[in-house]
Amino acid sequence: MKVQKKDIRALSKQELQDFFVAQGEKSFRGTQVYEWLWSKAAHNFAEMTNLSKTTRRMLEDNFVINHVRVDKMQRSKDGTIKNAVKLHDGLTVESVLIPTYSRTTACVSSQVGCSLDCKFCATARLKRMRNLNPDEIYDQVVAIDQESRLYNNIPLSNIVFMGMGEPLMNYKNVLKAIDKITSSEGLGMSPRRITVSTSGVPKMIKKLADDEVKFNLALSLHSAIDEVRSRIMPFNTTFPLADVKEALLYWHQKTKKRVTYEYIIWKDINDKKEDINALVKFCKLIPCKVNIIEYNPIDDGMFQQADERVTNAYQNALERNHITVTVRKSRGKDIDAACGQLANKSS
Protein backbone atom coordinates (compact mmCIF):
# COMPACT_ATOMS: atom_id res chain seq x y z
CA MET A 1 0.00 0.00 0.00
CA LYS A 2 1.33 3.43 -0.94
CA VAL A 3 2.23 5.57 2.09
CA GLN A 4 0.63 9.02 2.13
CA LYS A 5 3.44 11.54 2.42
CA LYS A 6 3.01 14.45 4.83
CA ASP A 7 3.27 18.09 3.83
CA ILE A 8 6.56 18.95 5.53
CA ARG A 9 5.75 22.65 5.83
CA ALA A 10 2.81 21.80 8.10
CA LEU A 11 5.40 20.80 10.73
CA SER A 12 6.85 23.22 13.28
CA LYS A 13 10.60 23.48 13.81
CA GLN A 14 10.23 21.45 17.01
CA GLU A 15 8.31 18.72 15.17
CA LEU A 16 11.04 18.55 12.53
CA GLN A 17 13.69 18.26 15.23
CA ASP A 18 11.67 15.49 16.91
CA PHE A 19 11.39 13.66 13.59
CA PHE A 20 15.16 13.59 13.13
CA VAL A 21 15.76 12.45 16.71
CA ALA A 22 13.25 9.61 16.13
CA GLN A 23 15.34 8.62 13.06
CA GLY A 24 18.48 8.43 15.21
CA GLU A 25 19.90 11.73 13.91
CA LYS A 26 20.84 14.98 15.62
CA SER A 27 18.04 17.50 16.25
CA PHE A 28 19.93 20.30 14.49
CA ARG A 29 19.12 18.58 11.18
CA GLY A 30 15.52 19.66 11.78
CA THR A 31 16.71 23.25 12.18
CA GLN A 32 18.64 23.01 8.90
CA VAL A 33 15.59 21.68 7.04
CA TYR A 34 13.37 24.37 8.58
CA GLU A 35 15.77 27.03 7.30
CA TRP A 36 15.70 25.54 3.80
CA LEU A 37 11.89 25.42 3.79
CA TRP A 38 11.27 28.97 4.96
CA SER A 39 14.13 31.48 4.77
CA LYS A 40 15.58 29.82 1.64
CA ALA A 41 12.17 28.80 0.21
CA ALA A 42 13.46 25.50 -1.20
CA HIS A 43 11.22 23.89 -3.82
CA ASN A 44 12.56 20.37 -3.35
CA PHE A 45 14.78 18.30 -1.09
CA ALA A 46 17.58 18.09 -3.67
CA GLU A 47 18.31 21.78 -3.03
CA MET A 48 19.22 21.05 0.60
CA THR A 49 22.91 20.64 -0.16
CA ASN A 50 24.18 20.68 3.45
CA LEU A 51 22.31 17.40 4.04
CA SER A 52 23.67 14.03 2.97
CA LYS A 53 22.09 12.25 0.00
CA THR A 54 20.85 9.58 2.41
CA THR A 55 19.10 12.20 4.57
CA ARG A 56 17.56 13.86 1.53
CA ARG A 57 16.32 10.49 0.29
CA MET A 58 14.79 9.82 3.70
CA LEU A 59 12.97 13.15 3.57
CA GLU A 60 11.79 12.35 0.03
CA ASP A 61 10.38 9.04 1.25
CA ASN A 62 8.38 10.65 4.06
CA PHE A 63 7.40 14.14 2.97
CA VAL A 64 6.36 16.42 0.12
CA ILE A 65 6.90 20.15 -0.38
CA ASN A 66 3.59 21.37 -1.82
CA HIS A 67 5.21 24.36 -3.45
CA VAL A 68 3.13 26.67 -5.64
CA ARG A 69 4.37 27.68 -9.07
CA VAL A 70 3.73 30.72 -11.21
CA ASP A 71 1.79 29.20 -14.08
CA LYS A 72 1.44 32.43 -16.04
CA MET A 73 2.99 35.87 -15.56
CA GLN A 74 1.65 38.99 -17.27
CA ARG A 75 3.40 42.37 -17.29
CA SER A 76 1.44 45.58 -17.67
CA LYS A 77 2.69 48.58 -19.58
CA ASP A 78 2.86 50.41 -16.22
CA GLY A 79 5.17 47.75 -14.73
CA THR A 80 2.53 45.89 -12.74
CA ILE A 81 2.90 42.09 -12.80
CA LYS A 82 0.05 39.61 -12.37
CA ASN A 83 0.79 36.00 -11.48
CA ALA A 84 -1.57 33.10 -12.05
CA VAL A 85 -0.38 30.83 -9.25
CA LYS A 86 -0.97 27.09 -9.62
CA LEU A 87 -1.50 25.26 -6.32
CA HIS A 88 -0.50 21.65 -5.63
CA ASP A 89 -4.07 20.42 -6.21
CA GLY A 90 -4.40 22.13 -9.59
CA LEU A 91 -6.45 25.12 -8.41
CA THR A 92 -5.33 28.65 -9.29
CA VAL A 93 -5.20 31.97 -7.47
CA GLU A 94 -3.82 35.32 -8.58
CA SER A 95 -1.35 37.72 -6.99
CA VAL A 96 0.01 41.05 -8.13
CA LEU A 97 3.25 43.04 -7.90
CA ILE A 98 2.60 46.79 -7.87
CA PRO A 99 5.75 48.89 -8.34
CA THR A 100 6.14 52.63 -7.74
CA TYR A 101 9.26 54.78 -7.76
CA SER A 102 9.84 54.25 -4.04
CA ARG A 103 8.36 50.84 -3.17
CA THR A 104 7.03 47.56 -4.46
CA THR A 105 3.85 46.05 -3.04
CA ALA A 106 2.60 42.47 -3.18
CA CYS A 107 -1.16 42.02 -3.37
CA VAL A 108 -1.79 38.43 -2.27
CA SER A 109 -4.77 36.07 -2.16
CA SER A 110 -6.04 34.21 0.91
CA GLN A 111 -8.77 31.99 -0.57
CA VAL A 112 -9.50 30.17 -3.82
CA GLY A 113 -12.57 32.19 -4.78
CA CYS A 114 -14.25 34.20 -2.02
CA SER A 115 -16.57 33.63 0.93
CA LEU A 116 -18.42 36.91 0.37
CA ASP A 117 -20.61 38.39 -2.38
CA CYS A 118 -19.55 41.93 -3.32
CA LYS A 119 -21.34 42.57 -6.59
CA PHE A 120 -18.63 44.82 -8.04
CA CYS A 121 -15.81 42.30 -7.61
CA ALA A 122 -14.88 39.62 -10.16
CA THR A 123 -13.52 37.28 -7.49
CA ALA A 124 -16.87 37.24 -5.67
CA ARG A 125 -18.40 35.57 -8.73
CA LEU A 126 -16.28 32.50 -8.08
CA LYS A 127 -17.52 30.14 -5.43
CA ARG A 128 -15.12 29.64 -2.54
CA MET A 129 -13.28 26.42 -3.27
CA ARG A 130 -11.05 26.38 -0.20
CA ASN A 131 -8.84 28.41 2.09
CA LEU A 132 -5.16 28.79 1.26
CA ASN A 133 -2.65 27.17 3.59
CA PRO A 134 -0.04 29.39 5.30
CA ASP A 135 2.73 28.11 3.01
CA GLU A 136 0.66 28.89 -0.12
CA ILE A 137 0.25 32.49 1.03
CA TYR A 138 3.95 32.65 1.91
CA ASP A 139 4.94 31.28 -1.51
CA GLN A 140 3.02 34.07 -3.29
CA VAL A 141 5.08 36.63 -1.36
CA VAL A 142 8.37 34.85 -2.12
CA ALA A 143 7.56 34.75 -5.85
CA ILE A 144 6.70 38.46 -5.92
CA ASP A 145 9.82 39.36 -3.93
CA GLN A 146 11.91 37.52 -6.53
CA GLU A 147 10.13 39.39 -9.35
CA SER A 148 10.63 42.71 -7.56
CA ARG A 149 14.36 42.06 -7.31
CA LEU A 150 14.55 40.90 -10.94
CA TYR A 151 12.50 43.63 -12.62
CA ASN A 152 12.79 46.56 -10.18
CA ASN A 153 16.18 45.90 -8.55
CA ILE A 154 14.71 46.29 -5.05
CA PRO A 155 13.32 43.80 -2.56
CA LEU A 156 9.61 43.70 -1.84
CA SER A 157 8.71 46.47 0.62
CA ASN A 158 4.99 46.07 1.36
CA ILE A 159 2.25 43.42 1.40
CA VAL A 160 -1.52 43.90 1.16
CA PHE A 161 -4.04 41.11 1.64
CA MET A 162 -6.36 42.51 -1.02
CA GLY A 163 -6.27 39.70 -3.58
CA MET A 164 -8.77 36.88 -3.94
CA GLY A 165 -10.76 35.97 -0.84
CA GLU A 166 -11.78 37.44 2.52
CA PRO A 167 -8.71 37.15 4.78
CA LEU A 168 -10.68 37.12 8.02
CA MET A 169 -12.64 34.08 6.80
CA ASN A 170 -9.28 32.29 6.70
CA TYR A 171 -8.12 33.81 9.95
CA LYS A 172 -5.84 31.14 11.38
CA ASN A 173 -3.91 30.49 8.17
CA VAL A 174 -3.51 34.19 7.33
CA LEU A 175 -2.05 34.90 10.75
CA LYS A 176 0.26 31.88 10.51
CA ALA A 177 1.47 33.10 7.12
CA ILE A 178 2.11 36.61 8.45
CA ASP A 179 3.97 35.11 11.41
CA LYS A 180 6.28 33.29 8.96
CA ILE A 181 6.66 36.36 6.71
CA THR A 182 7.66 38.58 9.66
CA SER A 183 9.82 36.01 11.44
CA SER A 184 13.60 36.32 11.35
CA GLU A 185 13.50 32.63 10.31
CA GLY A 186 11.23 33.52 7.39
CA LEU A 187 11.33 36.72 5.31
CA GLY A 188 11.95 39.09 8.21
CA MET A 189 9.51 41.76 6.98
CA SER A 190 8.14 44.34 9.40
CA PRO A 191 4.45 43.87 10.29
CA ARG A 192 4.07 47.63 9.89
CA ARG A 193 4.50 47.07 6.16
CA ILE A 194 1.63 44.58 5.99
CA THR A 195 -2.05 45.49 5.62
CA VAL A 196 -4.92 43.05 5.94
CA SER A 197 -8.07 44.21 4.19
CA THR A 198 -11.51 42.97 5.23
CA SER A 199 -14.98 43.60 3.90
CA GLY A 200 -16.07 43.76 7.53
CA VAL A 201 -16.45 40.67 9.75
CA PRO A 202 -17.05 42.23 13.20
CA LYS A 203 -16.25 39.20 15.36
CA MET A 204 -12.94 38.64 13.58
CA ILE A 205 -11.96 42.34 13.71
CA LYS A 206 -12.35 42.09 17.49
CA LYS A 207 -10.28 38.90 17.50
CA LEU A 208 -7.48 40.73 15.66
CA ALA A 209 -7.47 43.27 18.48
CA ASP A 210 -7.51 40.56 21.17
CA ASP A 211 -4.60 38.81 19.45
CA GLU A 212 -2.64 42.10 19.54
CA VAL A 213 -1.62 41.94 15.89
CA LYS A 214 1.02 44.42 14.77
CA PHE A 215 0.00 44.74 11.12
CA ASN A 216 -2.40 47.35 9.68
CA LEU A 217 -6.13 46.98 9.13
CA ALA A 218 -8.12 48.21 6.13
CA LEU A 219 -11.90 48.06 5.67
CA SER A 220 -13.50 47.78 2.25
CA LEU A 221 -16.33 50.23 3.03
CA HIS A 222 -17.77 51.82 -0.15
CA SER A 223 -20.82 53.20 1.65
CA ALA A 224 -21.56 54.37 5.19
CA ILE A 225 -25.29 53.93 4.63
CA ASP A 226 -26.62 50.44 5.41
CA GLU A 227 -29.21 50.36 2.64
CA VAL A 228 -26.70 51.36 -0.04
CA ARG A 229 -23.97 49.06 1.27
CA SER A 230 -26.32 46.07 1.40
CA ARG A 231 -27.21 46.64 -2.24
CA ILE A 232 -23.60 46.42 -3.40
CA MET A 233 -22.31 44.11 -0.63
CA PRO A 234 -25.26 41.85 0.32
CA PHE A 235 -23.48 40.25 3.29
CA ASN A 236 -23.89 43.67 4.98
CA THR A 237 -27.34 42.49 6.04
CA THR A 238 -25.57 39.88 8.20
CA PHE A 239 -22.78 42.22 9.34
CA PRO A 240 -24.49 45.66 9.45
CA LEU A 241 -22.55 48.87 9.89
CA ALA A 242 -23.58 49.22 13.57
CA ASP A 243 -21.74 45.97 14.32
CA VAL A 244 -18.77 46.99 12.18
CA LYS A 245 -18.54 50.33 14.02
CA GLU A 246 -18.56 48.56 17.38
CA ALA A 247 -15.77 46.25 16.22
CA LEU A 248 -13.68 49.17 14.91
CA LEU A 249 -14.05 51.04 18.21
CA TYR A 250 -12.87 47.91 19.99
CA TRP A 251 -9.95 47.59 17.54
CA HIS A 252 -8.80 51.14 18.17
CA GLN A 253 -9.22 50.96 21.95
CA LYS A 254 -7.06 47.81 22.04
CA THR A 255 -4.43 48.67 19.43
CA LYS A 256 -4.42 52.51 19.30
CA LYS A 257 -3.95 52.10 15.53
CA ARG A 258 -5.93 53.93 12.89
CA VAL A 259 -7.80 52.10 10.17
CA THR A 260 -7.84 52.68 6.41
CA TYR A 261 -11.18 52.83 4.61
CA GLU A 262 -11.20 51.74 0.97
CA TYR A 263 -13.90 53.51 -0.98
CA ILE A 264 -15.05 53.32 -4.60
CA ILE A 265 -17.51 55.92 -5.91
CA TRP A 266 -20.06 54.75 -8.51
CA LYS A 267 -22.45 56.72 -10.65
CA ASP A 268 -26.05 56.66 -9.31
CA ILE A 269 -25.07 54.43 -6.35
CA ASN A 270 -23.05 56.39 -3.79
CA ASP A 271 -22.47 59.71 -5.56
CA LYS A 272 -24.95 61.92 -3.65
CA LYS A 273 -24.46 64.54 -0.96
CA GLU A 274 -25.94 62.23 1.70
CA ASP A 275 -23.34 59.57 0.79
CA ILE A 276 -20.54 62.06 1.34
CA ASN A 277 -21.99 63.26 4.65
CA ALA A 278 -22.42 59.68 5.87
CA LEU A 279 -18.79 58.86 5.11
CA VAL A 280 -17.54 61.99 6.90
CA LYS A 281 -19.61 61.05 9.96
CA PHE A 282 -18.33 57.44 9.85
CA CYS A 283 -14.74 58.67 9.68
CA LYS A 284 -15.13 60.58 12.94
CA LEU A 285 -15.63 57.31 14.83
CA ILE A 286 -11.89 56.54 15.22
CA PRO A 287 -8.65 57.90 13.69
CA CYS A 288 -8.57 56.84 10.06
CA LYS A 289 -7.55 57.61 6.52
CA VAL A 290 -9.56 57.12 3.33
CA ASN A 291 -8.31 55.68 0.05
CA ILE A 292 -10.66 56.60 -2.78
CA ILE A 293 -10.07 53.92 -5.40
CA GLU A 294 -10.74 54.17 -9.11
CA TYR A 295 -13.37 51.66 -10.23
CA ASN A 296 -12.23 48.91 -12.55
CA PRO A 297 -15.05 47.50 -14.72
CA ILE A 298 -15.78 43.77 -14.81
CA ASP A 299 -17.68 43.89 -18.10
CA ASP A 300 -21.32 43.86 -17.00
CA GLY A 301 -22.09 47.59 -17.06
CA MET A 302 -23.96 47.50 -13.74
CA PHE A 303 -21.33 49.69 -12.07
CA GLN A 304 -19.87 52.81 -13.65
CA GLN A 305 -17.17 55.14 -12.41
CA ALA A 306 -18.64 58.34 -10.94
CA ASP A 307 -17.87 61.73 -12.44
CA GLU A 308 -14.59 63.30 -11.38
CA ARG A 309 -16.53 66.19 -9.83
CA VAL A 310 -18.06 63.77 -7.34
CA THR A 311 -14.63 62.43 -6.42
CA ASN A 312 -13.48 66.02 -5.86
CA ALA A 313 -16.53 66.70 -3.69
CA TYR A 314 -15.74 63.67 -1.53
CA GLN A 315 -12.10 64.71 -1.25
CA ASN A 316 -12.94 68.31 -0.34
CA ALA A 317 -15.50 67.28 2.29
CA LEU A 318 -13.08 64.89 3.96
CA GLU A 319 -10.22 67.38 3.95
CA ARG A 320 -12.47 70.12 5.39
CA ASN A 321 -13.09 67.76 8.29
CA HIS A 322 -9.35 67.07 8.74
CA ILE A 323 -9.61 63.49 7.50
CA THR A 324 -6.63 62.19 5.52
CA VAL A 325 -7.71 61.16 2.02
CA THR A 326 -5.84 59.83 -1.00
CA VAL A 327 -7.28 59.34 -4.48
CA ARG A 328 -5.61 56.29 -6.00
CA LYS A 329 -5.34 55.56 -9.70
CA SER A 330 -5.47 51.87 -10.55
CA ARG A 331 -2.48 49.97 -11.85
CA GLY A 332 -2.41 47.00 -14.20
CA LYS A 333 -5.83 47.53 -15.76
CA ASP A 334 -4.61 46.34 -19.17
CA ILE A 335 -3.92 42.87 -17.71
CA ASP A 336 -6.98 42.78 -15.39
CA ALA A 337 -4.73 43.08 -12.36
CA ALA A 338 -6.42 46.11 -10.82
CA CYS A 339 -8.57 46.20 -7.69
CA GLY A 340 -11.68 44.05 -8.10
CA GLN A 341 -10.56 42.45 -11.36
CA LEU A 342 -8.70 39.38 -10.11
CA ALA A 343 -10.04 36.15 -11.63
CA ASN A 344 -12.00 38.16 -14.18
CA LYS A 345 -10.03 36.86 -17.16
CA SER A 346 -7.50 34.52 -15.62
CA SER A 347 -7.87 31.66 -18.06
Side-chain angles (χ1 to χ4, degrees), residues 68-73 82-86 95 143-144 147:
V68 309
R69 63 181 174 85
V70 176
D71 193 46
K72 182 180 180 183
M73 187 192 81
K82 182 172 79 169
N83 292 328
V85 178
K86 187 76 75 176
S95 56
I144 291 176
E147 290 167 345

Side-chain angles (χ1 to χ4, degrees), residues 204-253:
M204 304 317 290
I205 292 172
K206 289 181 178 179
K207 183 161 174 54
L208 285 174
D210 286 337
D211 287 341
E212 300 179 346
V213 300
K214 304 301 181 191
F215 52 77
N216 303 304
L217 179 66
L219 175 71
S220 187
L221 183 59
H222 311 304
S223 178
I225 300 171
D226 264 314
E227 182 187 358
V228 176
R229 195 168 193 260
S230 294
R231 200 159 70 237
I232 57 177
M233 305 166 81
F235 66 86
N236 185 71
T237 57
T238 305
F239 305 130
L241 286 171
D243 293 351
V244 174
K245 286 180 183 178
E246 182 191 351
L248 291 172
L249 276 168
Y250 188 82
W251 158 267
H252 180 65
Q253 287 164 1

Side-chain angles (χ1 to χ4, degrees), residues 17 19-27 29 52 54-55 58:
Q17 290 170 343
F19 170 79
F20 276 96
V21 170
Q23 303 300 315
E25 298 217 29
K26 300 290 186 183
S27 65
R29 293 295 181 202
S52 69
T54 304
T55 301
M58 182 260 290

Side-chain angles (χ1 to χ4, degrees), residues 18 20 22 44 65 106 173 195 203 276 284 292 303 309 339:
D18 291 344
F20 276 96
N44 55 66
I65 303 175
N173 289 349
T195 299
K203 182 172 78 170
I276 298 174
K284 291 179 178 179
I292 296 177
F303 293 90
R309 286 174 297 178
C339 182

Side-chain angles (χ1 to χ4, degrees), residues 48 84 87-88 104 115 123 133 169 172 176 208-209 212 234-235 238 246 263 273 277 296 308 332 347:
M48 301 180 181
L87 309 177
H88 71 92
T104 55
S115 298
T123 307
N133 296 326
M169 293 293 197
K172 185 170 72 172
K176 280 185 177 179
L208 285 174
E212 300 179 346
F235 66 86
T238 305
E246 182 191 351
Y263 203 96
K273 182 70 173 173
N277 292 340
N296 304 296
E308 190 175 351
S347 58

Side-chain angles (χ1 to χ4, degrees), residues 265-293:
I265 310 167
W266 293 283
K267 182 180 178 183
D268 299 329
I269 293 177
N270 60 350
D271 59 351
K272 303 172 188 65
K273 182 70 173 173
E274 54 262 38
D275 297 299
I276 298 174
N277 292 340
L279 177 60
V280 169
K281 185 178 178 182
F282 194 95
C283 287
K284 291 179 178 179
L285 183 72
I286 61 170
C288 69
K289 62 178 179 176
V290 177
N291 283 341
I292 296 177
I293 303 167

Side-chain angles (χ1 to χ4, degrees), residues 80-318:
T80 300
I81 291 174
K82 182 172 79 169
N83 292 328
V85 178
K86 187 76 75 176
L87 309 177
H88 71 92
D89 56 3
L91 296 173
T92 301
V93 294
E94 294 182 340
S95 56
V96 181
L97 168 65
I98 307 159
T100 66
Y101 69 93
S102 61
R103 64 165 68 176
T104 55
T105 300
C107 177
V108 299
S109 295
S110 56
Q111 295 180 313
V112 184
C114 188
S115 298
L116 301 180
D117 52 8
C118 302
K119 291 188 175 180
F120 55 87
C121 179
T123 307
R125 298 180 175 186
L126 306 174
K127 68 176 182 177
R128 189 191 73 82
M129 305 286 286
R130 68 171 176 87
N131 289 332
L132 292 188
N133 296 326
D135 51 281
E136 293 171 322
I137 297 169
Y138 186 91
D139 285 351
Q140 291 176 71
V141 176
V142 170
I144 291 176
D145 179 51
Q146 291 170 348
E147 290 167 345
S148 178
R149 293 168 190 269
L150 178 62
Y151 295 109
N152 301 94
N153 296 314
I154 54 172
L156 182 68
S157 60
N158 295 74
I159 302 170
V160 293
F161 281 77
M162 297 181 185
M164 296 168 63
E166 165 54 61
L168 298 193
M169 293 293 197
N170 186 16
Y171 188 93
K172 185 170 72 172
N173 289 349
V174 165
L175 261 64
K176 280 185 177 179
I178 292 174
D179 185 54
K180 285 285 192 295
I181 290 164
T182 56
S183 168
S184 59
E185 296 179 312
L187 299 181
M189 290 191 69
S190 168
R192 295 192 301 274
R193 294 185 172 273
I194 299 174
T195 299
V196 171
S197 175
T198 177
S199 292
V201 187
K203 182 172 78 170
M204 304 317 290
I205 292 172
K206 289 181 178 179
K207 183 161 174 54
L208 285 174
D210 286 337
D211 287 341
E212 300 179 346
V213 300
K214 304 301 181 191
F215 52 77
N216 303 304
L217 179 66
L219 175 71
S220 187
L221 183 59
H222 311 304
S223 178
I225 300 171
D226 264 314
E227 182 187 358
V228 176
R229 195 168 193 260
S230 294
R231 200 159 70 237
I232 57 177
M233 305 166 81
F235 66 86
N236 185 71
T237 57
T238 305
F239 305 130
L241 286 171
D243 293 351
V244 174
K245 286 180 183 178
E246 182 191 351
L248 291 172
L249 276 168
Y250 188 82
W251 158 267
H252 180 65
Q253 287 164 1
K254 281 271 191 174
T255 68
K256 307 301 183 221
K257 291 170 74 75
R258 70 176 178 174
V259 68
T260 298
Y261 298 128
E262 295 151 359
Y263 203 96
I264 301 173
I265 310 167
W266 293 283
K267 182 180 178 183
D268 299 329
I269 293 177
N270 60 350
D271 59 351
K272 303 172 188 65
K273 182 70 173 173
E274 54 262 38
D275 297 299
I276 298 174
N277 292 340
L279 177 60
V280 169
K281 185 178 178 182
F282 194 95
C283 287
K284 291 179 178 179
L285 183 72
I286 61 170
C288 69
K289 62 178 179 176
V290 177
N291 283 341
I292 296 177
I293 303 167
E294 183 182 1
Y295 177 58
N296 304 296
I298 54 173
D299 292 346
D300 61 5
M302 177 180 174
F303 293 90
Q304 297 174 46
Q305 176 74 38
D307 190 275
E308 190 175 351
R309 286 174 297 178
V310 180
T311 301
N312 293 338
Y314 263 99
Q315 186 173 8
N316 292 337
L318 290 164

